[in-house]
């Protein structure tokens, strides 16, 4: 009798419904887990942006690349011209020192000048917002359209779904416009970001820019200059320098793609080809000069 009651309870509509709900929940959980695993397999690991150093990446690449290339081309030219080992070493060292100082001075002055120009533009923009607020709001409206926040003028020839989406965009655009219209300081910041392409976190320091180029130029010159301190002939020194310089250029080209996310071998080969062509030209000019004046 008790068994019959238990069976009837177990097979009641409420119990069956509960079991079906539990099974559905388990199925949904399993499906969700499978989808999560598939997403992890399909999507690579999250990569962070180069926020802290990307404004100086140009200085890094320019400094080390210029140190490698210009010093090697200088040495190739004087070796082709028949210069002795000690004189070639002195030329390489002098070229490295002069080049690094020139790089520092050039980057320092250029970055400082650019910052001063930008400061002047920001002051002018501040005056524009203060005196010509309506015109600046029109400019903001144009910039919002450029970054994809469309106005009502773009609703023509759209289907129902697109119109609904764009209607939401227009409401967002109206809220953004109202906020910046009533907040001059915020308006100045967004105009600097959108109009000039600059934010505070990415401002360049003249000292850091110049110092980065200076140090990396010296490091780039070492593979060319050092071999001449340990060899007896300029030909041997030039061969060793060419090999070391080629390896370093290949490595720099490959490292560059760590930030650019490009094909490392393309960047490396490009670096090698440019330097090889330049080295050949410099050496040929040196040979020609030696024959001409010799």
């Amino acid at each position: 009798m008790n068994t019959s009651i238990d069976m009837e309870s177990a097979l009641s509509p409420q119990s069956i419904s509960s079991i079906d709900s539990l099974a559905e929940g388990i199925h949904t959980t399993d499906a969700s887990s499978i989808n999560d695993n598939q997403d992890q397999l399909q999507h690579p690991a999250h990569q962070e942006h180069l926020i802290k150093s990307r404004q100086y990446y140009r200085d890094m690449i320019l400094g080390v690349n210029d140190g490698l290339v210009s010093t090697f081309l200088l040495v190739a030219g004087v070796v082709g011209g028949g210069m002795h080992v000690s004189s070639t070493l002195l030329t390489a060292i002098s070229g490295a020192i002069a080049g690094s100082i020139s790089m520092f001075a050039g980057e320092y002055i250029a970055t400082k000048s650019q910052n001063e120009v930008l400061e002047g533009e920001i002051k002018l923009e501040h005056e524009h917002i203060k005196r010509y607020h309506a015109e600046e709001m029109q400019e903001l409206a144009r910039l919002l359209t450029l970054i994809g926040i469309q106005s009502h003028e773009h609703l023509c020839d759209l289907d129902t779904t697109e119109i609904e989406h764009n209607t939401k965009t227009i409401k967002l655009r109206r809220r953004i416009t109202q906020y910046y219209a009533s907040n001059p300081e915020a308006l100045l910041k967004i105009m600097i970001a959108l109009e000039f392409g600059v934010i505070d976190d990415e401002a360049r320091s003249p000292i850091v820019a110049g110092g980065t180029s200076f140090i990396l130029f010296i490091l780039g010159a070492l593979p060319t200059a050092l071999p001449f301190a340990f060899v007896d002939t300029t030909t041997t020194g030039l061969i060793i320098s060419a090999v070391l310089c080629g390896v370093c250029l290949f490595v720099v080209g490959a490292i560059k793609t760590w930030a650019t996310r490009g094909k490392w071998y393309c960047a490396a080969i490009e670096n090698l080809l440019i330097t090889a062509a330049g080295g050949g030209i410099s050496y040929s000019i040196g040979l020609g000069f030696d024959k001409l004046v010799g």
Side-chain angles (χ1 to χ4, degrees):
M1 188 65 177
N2 292 337
T3 303
S4 176
I5 293 174
D6 292 341
M7 288 297 293
E8 288 178 359
S9 299
L11 295 177
S12 65
Q14 294 83 354
S15 299
I16 293 172
S17 176
S18 299
I19 293 171
D20 289 341
S21 299
L22 179 60
E24 184 179 353
I26 294 172
H27 176 74
T28 303
T29 303
D30 290 342
S32 178
S33 299
I34 292 171
N35 290 333
D36 290 343
N37 291 334
Q38 289 177 346
D39 289 340
Q40 290 177 358
L41 292 175
Q42 291 175 357
H43 299 288
H46 181 266
Q47 294 183 351
E48 296 293 335
H49 290 288
L50 303 176
I51 296 175
K52 295 183 178 180
S53 61
R54 64 186 174 197
Q55 67 267 41
Y56 299 111
Y57 198 69
R58 170 188 175 276
D59 307 300
M60 297 176 190
I61 296 299
L62 179 62
V64 69
N65 224 57
D66 203 17
L68 285 164
V69 175
S70 65
T71 308
F72 178 73
L73 299 189
L74 175 64
V75 166
V78 297
V79 169
M83 190 171 284
H84 299 296
V85 174
S86 58
S87 299
T88 302
L89 177 61
L90 177 61
T91 300
I93 294 173
S94 300
I97 295 172
S100 60
I101 294 173
S102 176
M103 288 291 291
F104 176 85
E107 284 296 327
Y108 176 85
I109 293 172
T111 303
K112 186 177 180 181
S113 299
Q114 184 65 30
N115 288 348
E116 290 172 348
V117 169
L118 183 60
E119 287 173 5
E121 289 290 288
I122 292 172
K123 288 181 181 178
L124 182 60
E125 187 67 20
H126 186 271
E127 288 296 315
H128 284 176
I129 292 173
K130 184 178 179 180
R131 299 178 184 276
Y132 310 103
H133 189 267
E135 288 81 354
E136 288 301 311
M137 291 305 301
Q138 292 177 359
E139 180 67 14
L140 176 62
R142 184 186 69 83
L143 294 172
L144 289 176
T145 301
L146 290 178
I147 63 173
I149 305 177
Q150 304 294 346
S151 64
H152 65 278
E153 298 173 357
H154 296 79
L155 289 178
C156 301
D157 301 326
L158 297 177
D159 58 33
T160 305
T161 304
E162 291 176 328
I163 290 176
E164 183 180 354
H165 172 73
N166 279 270
T167 302
K168 294 179 180 179
T169 303
I170 292 169
K171 291 180 180 178
L172 172 63
R173 179 190 179 98
R174 187 178 298 115
R175 291 173 61 187
I176 292 173
T177 304
Q178 290 172 350
Y179 171 75
Y180 284 109
S182 61
N183 194 331
E185 291 300 322
L187 178 59
L188 177 62
K189 289 183 179 180
I190 195 172
M191 292 300 288
I192 292 171
L194 295 180
E195 194 170 4
F196 305 142
V198 176
I199 58 176
D200 291 340
D201 290 343
E202 293 194 6
R204 282 165 52 85
S205 165
I207 294 292
V208 175
T212 300
S213 297
F214 176 89
I215 294 171
L216 289 175
F217 188 97
I218 290 289
L219 293 177
L222 290 179
T224 297
L226 282 179
F228 290 93
F230 305 101
V231 298
D232 296 325
T233 64
T234 54
T235 302
T236 303
L238 184 62
I239 293 173
I240 296 173
S241 294
V243 172
L244 292 177
C245 188
V247 171
C248 290
L249 283 168
F250 194 86
V251 171
V252 169
I255 290 176
K256 183 175 69 174
T257 60
W258 169 71
T260 62
R261 279 95 176 173
K263 297 179 179 178
W264 66 270
Y265 52 86
C266 291
I269 292 173
E270 179 184 47
N271 255 3
L272 286 174
L273 290 177
I274 293 173
T275 307
I281 293 172
S282 295
Y283 187 76
S284 299
I285 291 174
L287 285 176
F289 181 82
D290 186 45
K291 291 181 180 180
L292 183 65
V293 300

